[in-house]
Amino acid sequence: PKEEDGGAKWFIHNKGLHGTNGEMAWHSACAHAVGDELCTIVDEGTSDAITVPVVTVDTFLEETYPSSSSELPLVHMLKIDAEGLDPAVLQGSMNVLTQNRAIMVMFEFNPGLSEKGDHPHGMWGRKGHPRVTLVEVTSWLDDIGYDCYLDTHLPDENEKNKGVLEAPGLYRITGDCMSKEPSVRGWANVVCASRKYGNVAERLLELATIVQT
């Protein structure tokens, strides 16, 4: 919906997104700061943890936009940044993705989170719990009709001065362009487009660099 002045109207929902519906314990940082890097799921019984209701993306869409049709509403951009639990949120988006009702999907790939000293967490990386690989996720997305690209972390001036090489920002993953887990400096985003919406998928392909690994 639109405001009378022409601006978009935003709705904030006090829920977490995950692979199942229910409640989960979250780090106490979640209660104090929006976007805090420590805001993640913790073990039940953790001191000062807060309880947050969690739902799948599919359930959220079904309950928020009820319809007599079995088809879910069209999502222009499904953007996920779940501090290493992005595969779980994608799992909870099974219906909207298999129906190709999300035109674009973006999620974070941060394997280093599972190897942090004090607060290891997340599903990516060698110590992911449970471990999920980017190749597995993007292969599944390819099977259901999405082209995916690695949106890499480009070097800043300080990194360039230290000898970090320039690299194109968008690498194609889909179509066996990436057959093993990538190494990233810090984190990277993965952006995918449904081939059902050819103009969007074709535009990403035009912007991408094709590299066989």
Side-chain angles (χ1 to χ4, degrees), residues 27 35-40 83-84 108 110-128 186-187:
H27 195 286
D36 194 301
E37 292 293 307
L38 289 177
C39 184
T40 187
E83 290 305 301
E108 186 183 60
N110 192 344
L113 288 175
S114 69
E115 300 169 13
K116 294 175 79 171
D118 295 334
H119 302 284
H121 58 274
M123 301 169 73
W124 305 119
R126 289 174 296 168
K127 298 182 181 179
W187 56 269

PDB file of all heavy atoms in Angstrom, residues 27 35-40 83-84 108 110-128 186-187:
ATOM      1  N   HIS A  27      19.668 -14.425  21.666  1.00  0.00           N
ATOM      2  CA  HIS A  27      20.647 -13.683  22.449  1.00  0.00           C
ATOM      3  C   HIS A  27      20.021 -12.396  22.987  1.00  0.00           C
ATOM      4  O   HIS A  27      19.216 -11.758  22.316  1.00  0.00           O
ATOM      5  CB  HIS A  27      21.865 -13.363  21.565  1.00  0.00           C
ATOM      6  CG  HIS A  27      23.071 -12.924  22.310  1.00  0.00           C
ATOM      7  ND1 HIS A  27      23.184 -11.682  22.888  1.00  0.00           N
ATOM      8  CD2 HIS A  27      24.239 -13.567  22.587  1.00  0.00           C
ATOM      9  CE1 HIS A  27      24.362 -11.572  23.467  1.00  0.00           C
ATOM     10  NE2 HIS A  27      25.021 -12.699  23.303  1.00  0.00           N
ATOM     11  N   GLY A  35      19.765  -5.077  14.411  1.00  0.00           N
ATOM     12  CA  GLY A  35      20.894  -5.384  13.548  1.00  0.00           C
ATOM     13  C   GLY A  35      22.172  -5.722  14.272  1.00  0.00           C
ATOM     14  O   GLY A  35      23.225  -5.823  13.650  1.00  0.00           O
ATOM     15  N   ASP A  36      22.134  -5.902  15.595  1.00  0.00           N
ATOM     16  CA  ASP A  36      23.337  -6.258  16.343  1.00  0.00           C
ATOM     17  C   ASP A  36      23.865  -7.596  15.838  1.00  0.00           C
ATOM     18  O   ASP A  36      23.108  -8.552  15.669  1.00  0.00           O
ATOM     19  CB  ASP A  36      23.018  -6.341  17.838  1.00  0.00           C
ATOM     20  CG  ASP A  36      24.276  -6.372  18.691  1.00  0.00           C
ATOM     21  OD1 ASP A  36      25.084  -7.296  18.503  1.00  0.00           O
ATOM     22  OD2 ASP A  36      24.439  -5.479  19.542  1.00  0.00           O
ATOM     23  N   GLU A  37      25.180  -7.692  15.589  1.00  0.00           N
ATOM     24  CA  GLU A  37      25.773  -8.912  15.055  1.00  0.00           C
ATOM     25  C   GLU A  37      25.661 -10.091  16.020  1.00  0.00           C
ATOM     26  O   GLU A  37      25.806 -11.237  15.629  1.00  0.00           O
ATOM     27  CB  GLU A  37      27.255  -8.674  14.709  1.00  0.00           C
ATOM     28  CG  GLU A  37      27.470  -7.739  13.544  1.00  0.00           C
ATOM     29  CD  GLU A  37      26.976  -8.330  12.222  1.00  0.00           C
ATOM     30  OE1 GLU A  37      27.371  -9.447  11.892  1.00  0.00           O
ATOM     31  OE2 GLU A  37      26.190  -7.657  11.532  1.00  0.00           O
ATOM     32  N   LEU A  38      25.421  -9.826  17.313  1.00  0.00           N
ATOM     33  CA  LEU A  38      25.267 -10.907  18.283  1.00  0.00           C
ATOM     34  C   LEU A  38      23.834 -11.422  18.340  1.00  0.00           C
ATOM     35  O   LEU A  38      23.548 -12.388  19.041  1.00  0.00           O
ATOM     36  CB  LEU A  38      25.692 -10.435  19.676  1.00  0.00           C
ATOM     37  CG  LEU A  38      27.193 -10.199  19.897  1.00  0.00           C
ATOM     38  CD1 LEU A  38      27.435  -9.658  21.298  1.00  0.00           C
ATOM     39  CD2 LEU A  38      27.967 -11.495  19.692  1.00  0.00           C
ATOM     40  N   CYS A  39      22.928 -10.767  17.619  1.00  0.00           N
ATOM     41  CA  CYS A  39      21.517 -11.151  17.676  1.00  0.00           C
ATOM     42  C   CYS A  39      21.321 -12.448  16.898  1.00  0.00           C
ATOM     43  O   CYS A  39      21.182 -12.444  15.678  1.00  0.00           O
ATOM     44  CB  CYS A  39      20.647 -10.043  17.104  1.00  0.00           C
ATOM     45  SG  CYS A  39      18.884 -10.381  17.249  1.00  0.00           S
ATOM     46  N   THR A  40      21.334 -13.555  17.616  1.00  0.00           N
ATOM     47  CA  THR A  40      21.223 -14.858  16.978  1.00  0.00           C
ATOM     48  C   THR A  40      20.529 -15.826  17.920  1.00  0.00           C
ATOM     49  O   THR A  40      20.301 -15.532  19.104  1.00  0.00           O
ATOM     50  CB  THR A  40      22.616 -15.400  16.598  1.00  0.00           C
ATOM     51  OG1 THR A  40      22.473 -16.591  15.839  1.00  0.00           O
ATOM     52  CG2 THR A  40      23.459 -15.677  17.832  1.00  0.00           C
ATOM     53  N   GLU A  83      22.427 -14.115  10.030  1.00  0.00           N
ATOM     54  CA  GLU A  83      23.621 -14.431  10.821  1.00  0.00           C
ATOM     55  C   GLU A  83      23.976 -15.910  10.771  1.00  0.00           C
ATOM     56  O   GLU A  83      24.120 -16.579  11.786  1.00  0.00           O
ATOM     57  CB  GLU A  83      23.432 -13.960  12.269  1.00  0.00           C
ATOM     58  CG  GLU A  83      23.438 -12.451  12.445  1.00  0.00           C
ATOM     59  CD  GLU A  83      24.687 -11.803  11.869  1.00  0.00           C
ATOM     60  OE1 GLU A  83      25.791 -12.155  12.302  1.00  0.00           O
ATOM     61  OE2 GLU A  83      24.552 -10.975  10.946  1.00  0.00           O
ATOM     62  N   GLY A  84      24.107 -16.434   9.557  1.00  0.00           N
ATOM     63  CA  GLY A  84      24.542 -17.805   9.373  1.00  0.00           C
ATOM     64  C   GLY A  84      23.432 -18.831   9.304  1.00  0.00           C
ATOM     65  O   GLY A  84      23.665 -19.994   8.964  1.00  0.00           O
ATOM     66  N   GLU A 108      22.858 -14.009   2.780  1.00  0.00           N
ATOM     67  CA  GLU A 108      24.260 -13.821   3.137  1.00  0.00           C
ATOM     68  C   GLU A 108      24.978 -15.164   3.245  1.00  0.00           C
ATOM     69  O   GLU A 108      24.429 -16.126   3.779  1.00  0.00           O
ATOM     70  CB  GLU A 108      24.377 -13.075   4.469  1.00  0.00           C
ATOM     71  CG  GLU A 108      25.816 -12.712   4.845  1.00  0.00           C
ATOM     72  CD  GLU A 108      25.925 -12.053   6.192  1.00  0.00           C
ATOM     73  OE1 GLU A 108      25.545 -12.666   7.203  1.00  0.00           O
ATOM     74  OE2 GLU A 108      26.398 -10.904   6.240  1.00  0.00           O
ATOM     75  N   ASN A 110      28.317 -16.458   4.982  1.00  0.00           N
ATOM     76  CA  ASN A 110      29.345 -16.035   5.934  1.00  0.00           C
ATOM     77  C   ASN A 110      29.866 -17.253   6.682  1.00  0.00           C
ATOM     78  O   ASN A 110      29.487 -17.508   7.826  1.00  0.00           O
ATOM     79  CB  ASN A 110      28.776 -14.996   6.906  1.00  0.00           C
ATOM     80  CG  ASN A 110      29.864 -14.314   7.725  1.00  0.00           C
ATOM     81  OD1 ASN A 110      30.986 -14.806   7.797  1.00  0.00           O
ATOM     82  ND2 ASN A 110      29.525 -13.196   8.334  1.00  0.00           N
ATOM     83  N   PRO A 111      30.748 -18.045   6.063  1.00  0.00           N
ATOM     84  CA  PRO A 111      31.213 -19.275   6.701  1.00  0.00           C
ATOM     85  C   PRO A 111      32.032 -19.048   7.961  1.00  0.00           C
ATOM     86  O   PRO A 111      32.139 -19.939   8.803  1.00  0.00           O
ATOM     87  CB  PRO A 111      32.051 -19.939   5.598  1.00  0.00           C
ATOM     88  CG  PRO A 111      32.464 -18.831   4.691  1.00  0.00           C
ATOM     89  CD  PRO A 111      31.337 -17.854   4.717  1.00  0.00           C
ATOM     90  N   GLY A 112      32.599 -17.857   8.113  1.00  0.00           N
ATOM     91  CA  GLY A 112      33.435 -17.583   9.277  1.00  0.00           C
ATOM     92  C   GLY A 112      32.674 -17.524  10.589  1.00  0.00           C
ATOM     93  O   GLY A 112      33.265 -17.672  11.661  1.00  0.00           O
ATOM     94  N   LEU A 113      31.354 -17.334  10.541  1.00  0.00           N
ATOM     95  CA  LEU A 113      30.580 -17.213  11.777  1.00  0.00           C
ATOM     96  C   LEU A 113      30.639 -18.484  12.612  1.00  0.00           C
ATOM     97  O   LEU A 113      30.618 -18.429  13.844  1.00  0.00           O
ATOM     98  CB  LEU A 113      29.119 -16.877  11.460  1.00  0.00           C
ATOM     99  CG  LEU A 113      28.834 -15.468  10.947  1.00  0.00           C
ATOM    100  CD1 LEU A 113      27.373 -15.338  10.564  1.00  0.00           C
ATOM    101  CD2 LEU A 113      29.199 -14.422  11.992  1.00  0.00           C
ATOM    102  N   SER A 114      30.714 -19.643  11.962  1.00  0.00           N
ATOM    103  CA  SER A 114      30.719 -20.903  12.710  1.00  0.00           C
ATOM    104  C   SER A 114      32.077 -21.184  13.343  1.00  0.00           C
ATOM    105  O   SER A 114      32.222 -22.135  14.117  1.00  0.00           O
ATOM    106  CB  SER A 114      30.336 -22.072  11.795  1.00  0.00           C
ATOM    107  OG  SER A 114      31.361 -22.331  10.837  1.00  0.00           O
ATOM    108  N   GLU A 115      33.068 -20.354  13.032  1.00  0.00           N
ATOM    109  CA  GLU A 115      34.405 -20.574  13.554  1.00  0.00           C
ATOM    110  C   GLU A 115      34.858 -19.448  14.475  1.00  0.00           C
ATOM    111  O   GLU A 115      36.039 -19.361  14.831  1.00  0.00           O
ATOM    112  CB  GLU A 115      35.376 -20.751  12.378  1.00  0.00           C
ATOM    113  CG  GLU A 115      34.991 -21.939  11.489  1.00  0.00           C
ATOM    114  CD  GLU A 115      35.766 -21.991  10.184  1.00  0.00           C
ATOM    115  OE1 GLU A 115      36.767 -21.263  10.067  1.00  0.00           O
ATOM    116  OE2 GLU A 115      35.377 -22.763   9.297  1.00  0.00           O
ATOM    117  N   LYS A 116      33.931 -18.570  14.882  1.00  0.00           N
ATOM    118  CA  LYS A 116      34.271 -17.485  15.804  1.00  0.00           C
ATOM    119  C   LYS A 116      34.579 -18.051  17.179  1.00  0.00           C
ATOM    120  O   LYS A 116      33.920 -18.988  17.636  1.00  0.00           O
ATOM    121  CB  LYS A 116      33.121 -16.485  15.881  1.00  0.00           C
ATOM    122  CG  LYS A 116      32.873 -15.742  14.572  1.00  0.00           C
ATOM    123  CD  LYS A 116      31.663 -14.850  14.648  1.00  0.00           C
ATOM    124  CE  LYS A 116      31.949 -13.557  15.361  1.00  0.00           C
ATOM    125  NZ  LYS A 116      30.830 -12.592  15.241  1.00  0.00           N
ATOM    126  N   GLY A 117      35.528 -17.441  17.849  1.00  0.00           N
ATOM    127  CA  GLY A 117      35.981 -17.975  19.129  1.00  0.00           C
ATOM    128  C   GLY A 117      34.943 -17.989  20.232  1.00  0.00           C
ATOM    129  O   GLY A 117      34.626 -19.044  20.790  1.00  0.00           O
ATOM    130  N   ASP A 118      34.368 -16.829  20.564  1.00  0.00           N
ATOM    131  CA  ASP A 118      33.470 -16.732  21.724  1.00  0.00           C
ATOM    132  C   ASP A 118      32.027 -17.079  21.404  1.00  0.00           C
ATOM    133  O   ASP A 118      31.309 -17.617  22.249  1.00  0.00           O
ATOM    134  CB  ASP A 118      33.528 -15.313  22.307  1.00  0.00           C
ATOM    135  CG  ASP A 118      34.898 -14.985  22.882  1.00  0.00           C
ATOM    136  OD1 ASP A 118      35.603 -15.941  23.279  1.00  0.00           O
ATOM    137  OD2 ASP A 118      35.268 -13.803  22.913  1.00  0.00           O
ATOM    138  N   HIS A 119      31.565 -16.747  20.200  1.00  0.00           N
ATOM    139  CA  HIS A 119      30.158 -16.951  19.859  1.00  0.00           C
ATOM    140  C   HIS A 119      30.026 -17.641  18.501  1.00  0.00           C
ATOM    141  O   HIS A 119      29.469 -17.074  17.562  1.00  0.00           O
ATOM    142  CB  HIS A 119      29.416 -15.610  19.848  1.00  0.00           C
ATOM    143  CG  HIS A 119      29.469 -14.869  21.138  1.00  0.00           C
ATOM    144  ND1 HIS A 119      28.697 -15.237  22.224  1.00  0.00           N
ATOM    145  CD2 HIS A 119      30.209 -13.805  21.527  1.00  0.00           C
ATOM    146  CE1 HIS A 119      28.952 -14.412  23.234  1.00  0.00           C
ATOM    147  NE2 HIS A 119      29.874 -13.541  22.837  1.00  0.00           N
ATOM    148  N   PRO A 120      30.522 -18.884  18.357  1.00  0.00           N
ATOM    149  CA  PRO A 120      30.372 -19.574  17.070  1.00  0.00           C
ATOM    150  C   PRO A 120      28.907 -19.914  16.799  1.00  0.00           C
ATOM    151  O   PRO A 120      28.193 -20.358  17.696  1.00  0.00           O
ATOM    152  CB  PRO A 120      31.217 -20.845  17.258  1.00  0.00           C
ATOM    153  CG  PRO A 120      31.197 -21.081  18.733  1.00  0.00           C
ATOM    154  CD  PRO A 120      31.166 -19.721  19.373  1.00  0.00           C
ATOM    155  N   HIS A 121      28.446 -19.659  15.604  1.00  0.00           N
ATOM    156  CA  HIS A 121      27.069 -19.982  15.260  1.00  0.00           C
ATOM    157  C   HIS A 121      26.919 -20.019  13.744  1.00  0.00           C
ATOM    158  O   HIS A 121      27.799 -19.601  13.007  1.00  0.00           O
ATOM    159  CB  HIS A 121      26.087 -18.967  15.867  1.00  0.00           C
ATOM    160  CG  HIS A 121      26.346 -17.556  15.454  1.00  0.00           C
ATOM    161  ND1 HIS A 121      27.239 -16.743  16.106  1.00  0.00           N
ATOM    162  CD2 HIS A 121      25.817 -16.809  14.451  1.00  0.00           C
ATOM    163  CE1 HIS A 121      27.260 -15.545  15.536  1.00  0.00           C
ATOM    164  NE2 HIS A 121      26.406 -15.560  14.527  1.00  0.00           N
ATOM    165  N   GLY A 122      25.802 -20.523  13.307  1.00  0.00           N
ATOM    166  CA  GLY A 122      25.517 -20.547  11.877  1.00  0.00           C
ATOM    167  C   GLY A 122      25.664 -21.922  11.267  1.00  0.00           C
ATOM    168  O   GLY A 122      26.200 -22.851  11.871  1.00  0.00           O
ATOM    169  N   MET A 123      25.184 -22.037  10.033  1.00  0.00           N
ATOM    170  CA  MET A 123      25.155 -23.313   9.322  1.00  0.00           C
ATOM    171  C   MET A 123      26.204 -23.379   8.213  1.00  0.00           C
ATOM    172  O   MET A 123      26.519 -24.456   7.731  1.00  0.00           O
ATOM    173  CB  MET A 123      23.749 -23.532   8.740  1.00  0.00           C
ATOM    174  CG  MET A 123      22.670 -23.548   9.818  1.00  0.00           C
ATOM    175  SD  MET A 123      20.968 -23.490   9.179  1.00  0.00           S
ATOM    176  CE  MET A 123      20.787 -25.146   8.532  1.00  0.00           C
ATOM    177  N   TRP A 124      26.736 -22.233   7.785  1.00  0.00           N
ATOM    178  CA  TRP A 124      27.785 -22.231   6.775  1.00  0.00           C
ATOM    179  C   TRP A 124      29.125 -22.598   7.419  1.00  0.00           C
ATOM    180  O   TRP A 124      29.307 -22.476   8.619  1.00  0.00           O
ATOM    181  CB  TRP A 124      27.926 -20.843   6.141  1.00  0.00           C
ATOM    182  CG  TRP A 124      26.714 -20.239   5.538  1.00  0.00           C
ATOM    183  CD1 TRP A 124      26.106 -19.071   5.917  1.00  0.00           C
ATOM    184  CD2 TRP A 124      25.970 -20.710   4.402  1.00  0.00           C
ATOM    185  NE1 TRP A 124      25.040 -18.790   5.106  1.00  0.00           N
ATOM    186  CE2 TRP A 124      24.926 -19.776   4.162  1.00  0.00           C
ATOM    187  CE3 TRP A 124      26.084 -21.814   3.576  1.00  0.00           C
ATOM    188  CZ2 TRP A 124      24.015 -19.926   3.136  1.00  0.00           C
ATOM    189  CZ3 TRP A 124      25.165 -21.966   2.549  1.00  0.00           C
ATOM    190  CH2 TRP A 124      24.149 -21.031   2.334  1.00  0.00           C
ATOM    191  N   GLY A 125      30.093 -22.968   6.618  1.00  0.00           N
ATOM    192  CA  GLY A 125      31.449 -23.175   7.101  1.00  0.00           C
ATOM    193  C   GLY A 125      31.712 -24.579   7.613  1.00  0.00           C
ATOM    194  O   GLY A 125      30.800 -25.389   7.797  1.00  0.00           O
ATOM    195  N   ARG A 126      32.993 -24.864   7.862  1.00  0.00           N
ATOM    196  CA  ARG A 126      33.411 -26.215   8.250  1.00  0.00           C
ATOM    197  C   ARG A 126      32.774 -26.679   9.555  1.00  0.00           C
ATOM    198  O   ARG A 126      32.569 -27.875   9.757  1.00  0.00           O
ATOM    199  CB  ARG A 126      34.942 -26.262   8.389  1.00  0.00           C
ATOM    200  CG  ARG A 126      35.682 -26.165   7.060  1.00  0.00           C
ATOM    201  CD  ARG A 126      37.165 -26.059   7.286  1.00  0.00           C
ATOM    202  NE  ARG A 126      37.501 -24.827   8.001  1.00  0.00           N
ATOM    203  CZ  ARG A 126      38.695 -24.574   8.532  1.00  0.00           C
ATOM    204  NH1 ARG A 126      39.649 -25.486   8.460  1.00  0.00           N
ATOM    205  NH2 ARG A 126      38.931 -23.430   9.141  1.00  0.00           N
ATOM    206  N   LYS A 127      32.452 -25.736  10.459  1.00  0.00           N
ATOM    207  CA  LYS A 127      31.886 -26.106  11.751  1.00  0.00           C
ATOM    208  C   LYS A 127      30.405 -25.743  11.841  1.00  0.00           C
ATOM    209  O   LYS A 127      29.859 -25.609  12.927  1.00  0.00           O
ATOM    210  CB  LYS A 127      32.664 -25.426  12.881  1.00  0.00           C
ATOM    211  CG  LYS A 127      34.130 -25.850  12.946  1.00  0.00           C
ATOM    212  CD  LYS A 127      34.848 -25.183  14.104  1.00  0.00           C
ATOM    213  CE  LYS A 127      36.321 -25.594  14.160  1.00  0.00           C
ATOM    214  NZ  LYS A 127      37.029 -24.922  15.281  1.00  0.00           N
ATOM    215  N   GLY A 128      29.757 -25.568  10.692  1.00  0.00           N
ATOM    216  CA  GLY A 128      28.335 -25.251  10.681  1.00  0.00           C
ATOM    217  C   GLY A 128      27.512 -26.311  11.396  1.00  0.00           C
ATOM    218  O   GLY A 128      27.847 -27.492  11.380  1.00  0.00           O
ATOM    219  N   GLY A 186      35.701 -12.443   4.866  1.00  0.00           N
ATOM    220  CA  GLY A 186      34.616 -11.965   5.716  1.00  0.00           C
ATOM    221  C   GLY A 186      33.290 -12.569   5.312  1.00  0.00           C
ATOM    222  O   GLY A 186      32.934 -13.637   5.775  1.00  0.00           O
ATOM    223  N   TRP A 187      32.569 -11.901   4.433  1.00  0.00           N
ATOM    224  CA  TRP A 187      31.249 -12.375   4.039  1.00  0.00           C
ATOM    225  C   TRP A 187      30.976 -11.962   2.604  1.00  0.00           C
ATOM    226  O   TRP A 187      31.675 -11.131   2.033  1.00  0.00           O
ATOM    227  CB  TRP A 187      30.173 -11.780   4.955  1.00  0.00           C
ATOM    228  CG  TRP A 187      30.183 -10.284   4.993  1.00  0.00           C
ATOM    229  CD1 TRP A 187      30.890  -9.499   5.874  1.00  0.00           C
ATOM    230  CD2 TRP A 187      29.524  -9.382   4.101  1.00  0.00           C
ATOM    231  NE1 TRP A 187      30.701  -8.166   5.579  1.00  0.00           N
ATOM    232  CE2 TRP A 187      29.852  -8.063   4.502  1.00  0.00           C
ATOM    233  CE3 TRP A 187      28.669  -9.561   3.015  1.00  0.00           C
ATOM    234  CZ2 TRP A 187      29.379  -6.933   3.846  1.00  0.00           C
ATOM    235  CZ3 TRP A 187      28.180  -8.440   2.356  1.00  0.00           C
ATOM    236  CH2 TRP A 187      28.538  -7.146   2.789  1.00  0.00           C
TER     237      TRP A 187
END
